[in-house]
Each structure stands twice: as C-alpha cells, then as structure tokens.
Amino acid sequence: MPLLGMTFLPDVLADFAPGHPDARIELATFRSDQVVEDVLTQRCDVGFAIVSAIDDRMNSDVFHLDSLCALPSGHPLAERDTVEVDDLANETLICFEPQDPLRLDLERLMEARQLRPRRCLEVSLALQAIRLVGRGVGIAILDPISARAFSDMNLVLRPFSPLLGEDFALLTPRDQPVSQLAQEFIGVFRQRFSKATRLTWDRQKMINLRQIEAFRAVMIHKTVTRAAQTLHVSQPAVSRLVGDLEFHVGFALFQRHKGRLIPTPEALALYEDVERAFVGLDKITDTAREIREFRTGRLLLSCMPALALNALPTMINAFSERHPGITISLQVHSSQRVLEWVATQQCDAGLIGMQLVDPSVTIRPIASGALRLVMLPNHPLASQPVVHIDDLEGESFVSLGQTQDVRPLIDQVFQQAGIRRRMRIETQLSSVACELVLAGAGVSLIDPITADSYLSRGLVSRSFTPEIPFHYSAVLPAFRPPSRLVLEFLDELKRHLADQLAASSTPLTHNISE
C-alpha cells in the first residue's frame, strides 16, 4: 500500500538489503485490495494492507497508527502543544479520498460537533498532502509514518485530539511456508516500525471516536464477533479498541460469563450518553452527502505519481482558489491504470508518462524530456555534469518495474551498450526509486520532473547519455466530449508545467499541440 511503500519500506530495505547481497528484492506499491489479492494468489511473499476483515486464508499481524496534525511552519496552530478538532473549523483541510477510513472518522467527528472546514482539497497519497502542507496550502491529519518521513519539508507535527488512527496488517499466505528470507525481513520491519512510531511527547489519556463506536457496537450486538462484522473490522481490533477505552475511562466495561459479555453498571451509564450522541448522526451523514453531490461541479482526475506528487499540488490549489465551488478528486495510479480509468470513463481526464495510439482514448502531448540519473551527493559520479552509460558498469541500480512504459527502453540501451548493472531492487514508482536512492540503495534513471523535485531532498540529478526520452501526456475519453471545466484545467496545466520546467534546473522541450 502507498502509505508504507513510498515512505517507510525504502528505509527498511536499505537496512535489510546489505545483509543479503544475493537476494533479489522487488517492492511493488498497490492499493490494499490488490495487495490482498496478491497475497492470496501467492504472487508475493509479504504484503501490507489496510483491511477491514482478515481472510482466514492469510496469516496476519495488525499494527495501529495514531494520527498527527501536519501544519505549515508559520501557521498559528504550530505554536500549540496539541491541535484540537475544534481548531479545524474554517481551516483549509487537505484530506484523502471519501472512502479513506481516517477521513471518515474525521468527518464523523466534525459533523458531530457541527464543524466545517473552510475548504477541503482531496488527495489520494500522503506525500501529496505533505507537499501541499509544506507549501502553506492547508493542514492535514496524517499517520505518523508518512508525517515523520517527510517532516523536513517545511512543516511541523503536533498531536491531534481526540486520537484518530487506523490499523494495517502484515499479511503472508497461510498455505505457503514463510521463507527464512521473508522471516528476517519481517523482523527488520518490526524493529523499524517500533522506532518510527514511538512518540516524542507524553500522550495524554484521550478517548477517540473509534473506541466509542466499538463500545457501542458491542453493547448493541452483545458479542465481539457481531460487533466486528458490523464495523467491518477484525475481532482483535474490536477487543483492542474496547480495551483502550477501558484504560482511558479507568474502569471495566464488560465482564465475561460463560462466553458472554455482561456490561458493568458503569458501562450501562456510559452507554446512555453515547447513544444520545449518536442520535441523528446517520441523518446528518446523509444530508452532508447530498450537499456534496449538488455542488457546482466536480473534476475527477487520474494521474501518474510523478506529476501528482510534484507538478500538480501548487497548480490544483490555485485552480481551486479561483473555483471554490468545484470539488477536485485526484486519484494516483500507474500510467496503464490511468488509461483504463479514462477508457472506461471513470474519470474526466488522465495524466500519463507515455505516448501511444489507443482508439478508446484521445492523447494530448504536454511535455517531453530525457531521463535523469539521480544519486547521493557523495557518489563518485556526482562530480560529473554528464554521466555516460559506461560509467554505470557494476553500479548498484534501482530499477523501475516491468510495468513501466520506459523500462524496456532503459534495458534496451544497456543491452546494446553491453553494460551490466547490479539490479537488486526494483519498484514501479519513480518517487519510491528516489526514496531508495536517498536510503543509499544505489543510483536510478527517472523522469525529469521527479528528479528535479528531489533536489531539495538531498539528491543530485545528472544528464545521462545516450539520452532516453520520457513523455508526459493528457488523456481524455475518446467517445465523450470534454467539459469546459476539463478543458480549462488542461490549458492551465500546460501553462503551469511550462513555467515550472522553465524555472527548474532540468531543461525540457515542450509540445503543447493538440
């Protein structure tokens, strides 16, 4: 899942890989449902996913993350020790897509207190939210791993009250023995996770909405099993939430008698107030959904990560400021998945990193450039303004995955030159490749926009010869005319991209013909 694949696992692999020089490691980042499918079909050894219920065909270990509030460094709330939910009123809130569990918890909490943000910008990846926060666009509630992985990006982190969080599971196939290599990797992961999520401040006793929901479900359905089914989570997750609530309130809520849960008198008294707080909440949720559906307009975009993480945040914020009645949803997928979404009309427009002919879509070229070689500043090749392919003989190389359109071009160039790279790690996202390079895994050839964005993170970018072209294109459904909103957005995107590339240290040539 992107939460770990783009922020945390590159560091884990950087610790793990040196001790296993002969192992071939592939890091693939997918949505949680795809991860579960890959584990069940044994296409991977270890998977990480946010799941509501654990399939009995998998082994699982559940981890919990308490969220933090990410703020621009100069924001007035950054002076406080803790950010309260009431502080979010009239703020620009950067939130995840509507089905995200953390967003649902936050929306329910704000609706119960009749709070509304000034504006909500939707993103699908934590790194997008962090870039927007770092540029002063708004504030975001994030998991601690993503927040701390990019805490150097002109933002500050504060505890958020009441506590919100989410669970993710480490998954392995039940019918397949876990290899010794996978067991060692899991051990390294556990050590890194324990350090990464340890809070640097004293956490106060606070009750969160998920604990109350779990308590209410157990009171209504009388068993943990039925409560878990109703909440679409695992039984251990419900037990943990109820246990956390008991810890925070300071008294027992249930007693077990012959396999049944018997509420204590204190639980019955607490439940009366809980039930009053939930009266009308379903109606409020339905009303809010209807309001959202009757806004002035909605722009659904599907985009490759390289543009979504680097070129779009500033442009989307400016576009949204000029069109406050428009809701923008930005979904991040591989270029191939973007094509599928556009062809099946699941979005209004797509942005990809390839050129092709496909009768189901209309392609509009935006910009073209050459792949850049990224490395740490202390790498021996960093002193060269241009790196020749011969210089990479025997170098540790972080490769883009086989599903990337540019991967065959890269492999062909090296095969024709007779140059052998040490390819021990590959990934399908250029941002993950840069994170691996930052972690010391080697060098990588990536698209020029992503390369330029990582200069501020400490990487250096060099020209590479022979040049390998990379193309950015907009994609529209072939059998549905684009709306005026889509056309205006694409026109502004061309101008914004031209300005960004002209100002960057990576020169590109632009093609904005239709």
Side-chain angles (χ1 to χ4, degrees):
M1 61 184 193
L3 164 62
L4 296 178
M6 296 189 64
T7 58
F8 183 64
L9 288 181
D11 289 334
V12 177
L13 290 176
D15 285 351
F16 179 75
H20 305 81
D22 297 327
R24 184 173 180 84
I25 304 168
E26 180 175 354
L27 172 61
T29 305
F30 298 111
R31 299 178 70 89
S32 291
D33 54 352
Q34 181 64 52
V35 174
V36 171
E37 181 180 341
D38 285 353
V39 172
L40 290 175
T41 56
Q42 299 183 12
R43 291 200 293 265
C44 66
D45 301 301
V46 181
F48 298 90
I50 296 174
V51 291
S52 57
I54 305 298
D55 193 295
D56 59 9
R57 291 171 293 173
M58 298 183 294
N59 298 312
S60 65
D61 195 358
V62 178
F63 297 81
H64 183 71
L65 298 170
D66 284 330
S67 299
L68 304 175
C69 183
L71 305 137
S73 58
H75 196 284
L77 294 177
E79 301 299 323
R80 302 189 182 183
D81 293 332
T82 301
V83 176
E84 305 284 344
V85 65
D86 293 344
D87 298 326
L88 302 185
N90 299 319
E91 291 285 346
T92 295
L93 191 61
I94 300 159
C95 52
F96 297 108
E97 50 202 40
Q99 67 270 28
D100 179 77
L102 180 59
R103 174 173 175 176
L104 293 174
D105 283 349
L106 184 59
E107 285 183 343
R108 284 196 290 266
L109 181 61
M110 296 185 70
E111 288 169 353
R113 302 194 183 196
Q114 297 183 336
L115 301 173
R116 294 187 63 181
R118 180 173 70 89
R119 188 158 52 99
C120 183
L121 295 180
E122 284 186 8
V123 297
S124 56
L125 293 178
L127 181 53
Q128 294 172 270
I130 289 168
R131 288 191 184 278
L132 287 170
V133 172
R135 294 174 184 178
V137 174
I139 64 179
I141 308 301
L142 302 169
D143 68 276
I145 287 180
S146 299
R148 293 184 177 184
F150 301 101
S151 59
D152 58 336
M153 298 178 66
N154 195 34
L155 54 83
V156 295
L157 305 175
R158 292 292 180 264
F160 182 72
S161 174
L163 287 176
L164 294 176
E166 59 185 351
D167 298 324
F168 73 90
L170 186 157
L171 306 172
T172 55
R174 179 159 291 179
D175 297 334
Q176 171 183 305
V178 180
S179 67
Q180 180 65 32
L181 186 66
Q183 291 178 8
E184 293 179 15
F185 170 79
I186 292 172
V188 174
F189 171 84
R190 291 181 188 279
Q191 293 175 359
R192 293 282 309 206
F193 181 84
S194 177
K195 294 178 181 178
T197 57
R198 189 177 298 128
L199 293 179
T200 57
W201 44 75
D202 293 330
R203 189 172 71 183
Q204 300 176 353
K205 291 184 179 180
M206 291 181 286
I207 298 173
N208 67 41
L209 186 60
R210 296 186 74 188
Q211 295 166 0
I212 296 297
E213 285 181 327
F215 165 68
R216 179 174 181 261
V218 174
M219 291 292 292
I220 293 174
H221 300 289
K222 312 302 183 186
T223 68
V224 173
T225 300
R226 285 288 298 124
Q229 292 171 348
T230 303
L231 297 174
H232 304 291
V233 299
S234 65
Q235 294 180 38
V238 172
S239 298
R240 180 185 55 75
L241 288 169
V242 173
D244 289 346
L245 180 59
E246 289 180 320
F247 171 77
H248 290 316
V249 299
F251 51 79
L253 296 172
F254 298 96
Q255 294 178 349
R256 292 189 176 273
H257 180 70
K258 295 183 179 180
R260 297 183 60 195
L261 289 177
I262 308 299
T264 64
E266 293 83 2
L268 293 172
L270 179 63
Y271 178 66
E272 291 181 8
D273 277 347
V274 167
E275 198 59 28
R276 279 195 293 268
F278 273 81
V279 170
L281 187 58
D282 290 340
K283 184 178 183 302
I284 294 173
T285 301
D286 291 341
T287 301
R289 185 179 300 111
E290 291 175 1
I291 292 173
R292 285 196 298 267
E293 291 175 351
F294 286 95
R295 289 176 177 172
T296 305
R298 186 176 180 88
L299 182 59
L300 303 177
L301 302 173
S302 184
C303 181
M304 61 177 288
L307 289 176
L309 296 174
N310 304 306
L312 286 187
T314 302
M315 180 260 166
I316 286 181
N317 177 57
F319 189 83
S320 179
E321 289 280 4
R322 283 195 305 278
H323 303 280
I326 300 299
T327 298
I328 301 175
S329 179
L330 177 62
Q331 305 295 319
V332 182
H333 302 290
S334 66
S335 292
Q336 193 60 47
R337 180 63 65 86
V338 170
L339 282 172
E340 295 173 5
W341 273 52
V342 175
T344 55
Q345 300 189 19
Q346 297 182 62
C347 61
D348 299 312
L351 300 169
I352 62 174
M354 63 174 68
Q355 282 188 331
L356 76 166
V357 177
D358 188 326
S360 63
V361 296
T362 300
I363 305 293
R364 296 190 176 194
I366 298 177
S368 298
L371 294 183
R372 303 283 294 184
L373 188 71
V374 293
M375 67 199 81
L376 289 171
N378 59 357
H379 193 283
L381 296 177
S383 61
Q384 301 178 202
V386 178
V387 177
H388 192 271
I389 191 171
D390 295 340
D391 299 325
L392 296 188
E393 177 68 42
E395 283 287 337
S396 295
F397 191 86
V398 179
S399 178
L400 297 176
Q402 297 288 347
T403 58
Q404 287 285 326
D405 185 60
V406 76
R407 170 66 183 271
L409 296 177
I410 297 175
D411 291 345
Q412 180 181 3
V413 168
F414 278 89
Q415 290 169 2
Q416 290 176 347
I419 302 299
R420 299 184 59 182
R421 300 158 288 168
R422 293 174 56 206
M423 294 197 302
R424 292 166 40 213
I425 302 176
E426 65 178 48
T427 179
Q428 85 274 27
L429 296 182
S430 55
S431 294
V432 177
C434 286
E435 294 296 332
L436 287 165
V437 173
L438 276 172
V443 301
S444 185
L445 279 169
I446 61 169
D447 70 277
I449 287 182
T450 302
D452 191 68
S453 72
Y454 269 82
L455 298 181
S456 61
R457 297 287 311 283
L459 292 185
V460 295
S461 167
R462 296 292 181 260
S463 298
F464 179 77
T465 182
E467 286 191 353
I468 302 174
F470 191 90
H471 306 286
Y472 304 95
S473 302
V475 192
L476 299 170
F479 305 107
R480 188 185 75 188
S483 66
R484 292 176 59 202
L485 181 64
V486 170
L487 293 176
E488 182 178 346
F489 178 85
L490 291 180
D491 287 342
E492 183 162 335
L493 173 62
K494 292 176 181 179
R495 292 191 296 269
H496 175 79
L497 193 57
D499 291 343
Q500 179 174 340
L501 297 175
S504 74
S505 59
T506 304
L508 295 178
T509 59
H510 308 281
N511 182 351
I512 59 173
S513 60
E514 300 302 327

